[in-house]
Amino acid sequence: MKTFLLFWAGALAAFPAAAQTIQSEEHAFRVVTLVRGLEQPWSLAFLPDGRMLVTEKAGRLRIVKDGKLDAQSVAGLPEVTVHGQGGLMDVALHPGFSKNRLVYISYAARGADGVGTEVARGRLTGHRLDDVQVIFRQSPKGNRGQHFGSRMVFDRQGYLYITLGDRGEMERAQRPDDHAGSVIRLHDDGRVPKDNPFVGKPGWKPDKYTLGNRNQQGAALHPRTGVLWTHEHGPQGGDEVNVIRAGANYGWPVITYGVNYGIGTKIGEGTAKPGMEQPIHKWVPSIAPSGMAFYTGDKFPKWRGDLFVGALRAELLVRLRLDGEKVLREERLLQGAVGRIRDVRAGPDGLIYLLTDESRAVLARLEPAG
């Protein structure tokens, strides 16, 4: 760990000078642009040597070193299908990456029944992924271009969680034999854990862990409890933050705080129903959340334990102050300052990293001011 932090400390000196100081409720900070010219980046992961991996929707896995974007992309990825909102999406490291070098990617892929989310893993060697294996294929796929998910998170026991959207066909989120609109839980090699909630239940996909989710594009482990939290897009309003529990039904499209696009009419049966989970926080109107991270570093001590959420439509960064599973307050930061925020990550250096979602996007970092 000490070597890891030394690499990061060395990298700090190479980054450009900071810009305007912003005063939040708790801290003064600056937004420093590290890399420009990314093409619709979706996710980033921190390598132990101080480099970063960044995905671009078009199917490129890029390396950032010492604040510079490597011109050579990582080779060896499976074929990525760019279809509507789908393409190359999340990237995550195996918990034992320092020994096994395993990198996981989620992406849209074409099959006989359309396009759907898949997850593959491979060993990072230089600028290449070797021994690539597909460990998850969404089934059935579909022809629409919306709601692929998908974030990946490893928990403290080494289980892999994959968040999926309803693929723009809302009724699929309630089907037991459909991956769409679910959280998936797997062993690191794609095997289904025997204690998954629907294992052995006739008609159910055994790798499903939840159902009733619309389109989850943020996921993170709570730093104290180790429980998975996600957020998901609502329709016109009704974006949600949820605490993920085995076998739980999160209601979509039976219950929602959103309404039909444009016409504003009711969806489903209302906002609550017995046997269906309530969000711990919601946004009406929608902010279009994407990317999520708990802050546990020491550079912003008054933010420790807070949850940070990026927003696409609202072009802002949301800070949620928590008390257990209760949201005490919300602060909105950077509104319109950096653009559509696609991903939010807490770095091993105690700083907060952002990716924007444009054709000429940036990787930026929040640093303390003063």
Side-chain angles (χ1 to χ4, degrees):
M1 183 65 179
K2 184 176 180 181
T3 303
F4 190 6
L5 293 176
L6 285 173
F7 271 111
W8 276 94
L12 295 182
F15 290 139
Q20 175 185 357
T21 296
I22 299 168
Q23 183 63 55
S24 74
E25 293 175 358
E26 303 287 359
H27 287 288
F29 66 93
R30 298 167 297 194
V31 181
V32 178
T33 299
L34 308 180
V35 174
R36 299 180 185 275
L38 291 162
E39 183 181 354
Q40 286 192 284
W42 218 91
S43 178
L44 71 141
F46 303 95
L47 294 169
D49 61 5
R51 295 179 300 161
M52 288 177 271
L53 295 175
V54 178
T55 61
E56 291 179 317
K57 180 182 172 183
R60 292 180 293 273
L61 181 60
R62 311 296 300 275
I63 296 174
V64 175
K65 181 181 179 181
D66 297 333
K68 296 180 180 179
L69 182 64
D70 194 322
Q72 183 179 355
S73 300
V74 176
L77 276 65
E79 184 175 354
V80 174
T81 299
V82 179
H83 180 68
Q85 297 171 357
L88 182 58
M89 294 174 285
D90 208 7
V91 57
L93 305 185
H94 189 281
F97 175 84
S98 60
K99 294 182 179 179
N100 61 31
R101 308 291 295 175
L102 285 173
V103 173
Y104 291 69
I105 55 170
S106 67
Y107 57 97
R110 188 169 296 280
D113 56 348
V115 179
T117 301
E118 297 189 355
V119 171
R121 70 176 188 176
R123 300 184 193 280
L124 182 63
T125 306
H127 285 75
R128 183 173 183 82
L129 287 184
D130 293 322
D131 305 321
V132 174
Q133 301 172 306
V134 179
I135 65 166
F136 172 78
R137 288 185 170 92
Q138 180 186 347
S139 176
K141 289 183 163 59
N143 294 312
R144 296 196 178 183
Q146 309 105 296
H147 304 178
F148 290 83
S150 62
R151 296 290 177 184
M152 299 180 293
V153 175
F154 282 95
D155 71 8
R156 294 173 182 172
Q157 290 73 46
Y159 293 111
L160 174 63
Y161 296 84
I162 305 163
T163 70
L164 299 177
D166 67 5
R167 296 294 283 104
E169 299 174 286
M170 62 177 69
E171 70 280 356
R172 292 179 61 180
Q174 291 293 326
R175 291 178 182 168
D177 60 348
D178 195 326
H179 284 135
S182 301
V183 174
I184 304 300
R185 180 178 182 251
L186 301 170
H187 287 291
D188 64 348
D189 59 1
R191 290 176 296 116
V192 176
K194 294 179 180 179
D195 61 347
N196 269 12
F198 305 120
V199 167
K201 192 172 181 179
W204 286 77
K205 295 276 192 189
D207 44 6
K208 285 173 74 81
Y209 196 71
T210 68
L211 68 160
N213 302 105
R214 186 173 184 268
N215 189 27
Q216 304 168 98
Q217 290 189 341
L221 286 189
H222 190 284
R224 183 174 57 82
T225 65
V227 172
L228 181 68
W229 289 34
T230 72
H231 66 56
E232 62 184 70
H233 294 271
Q236 189 171 313
D239 301 336
E240 300 180 356
V241 176
N242 289 303
V243 179
I244 298 303
R245 308 191 193 284
N249 187 336
Y250 291 85
W252 176 256
V254 180
I255 60 172
T256 178
Y257 287 88
V259 294
N260 280 302
Y261 287 108
I263 55 178
T265 53
K266 177 181 174 182
I267 298 172
E269 301 177 15
T271 58
K273 185 173 182 177
M276 294 184 173
E277 300 293 316
Q278 283 290 304
I280 67 164
H281 192 68
K282 61 183 182 296
W283 288 279
V284 179
S286 173
I287 64 168
S290 186
M292 182 166 82
F294 288 96
Y295 183 74
T296 59
D298 58 2
K299 298 297 193 298
F300 299 103
K302 294 181 181 179
W303 285 351
R304 196 172 293 124
D306 291 351
L307 182 64
F308 286 81
V309 174
L312 298 166
R313 179 179 178 272
E315 297 189 1
L316 55 81
L317 179 67
V318 173
R319 180 179 69 91
L320 298 178
R321 173 58 51 85
L322 306 172
D323 180 9
E325 294 182 357
K326 182 180 180 181
V327 175
L328 299 179
R329 62 176 291 104
E330 172 181 322
E331 182 181 16
R332 298 191 170 198
L333 305 167
L334 305 178
Q335 190 146 16
V338 298
R340 290 162 52 87
I341 297 177
R342 169 60 72 184
D343 200 13
V344 182
R345 300 283 171 162
D349 53 6
L351 302 174
I352 295 174
Y353 290 75
L354 308 176
L355 282 174
T356 63
D357 178 51
E358 288 103 13
S359 58
R360 297 285 295 173
V362 303
L363 167 63
R365 183 176 64 200
L366 274 56
E367 300 179 357

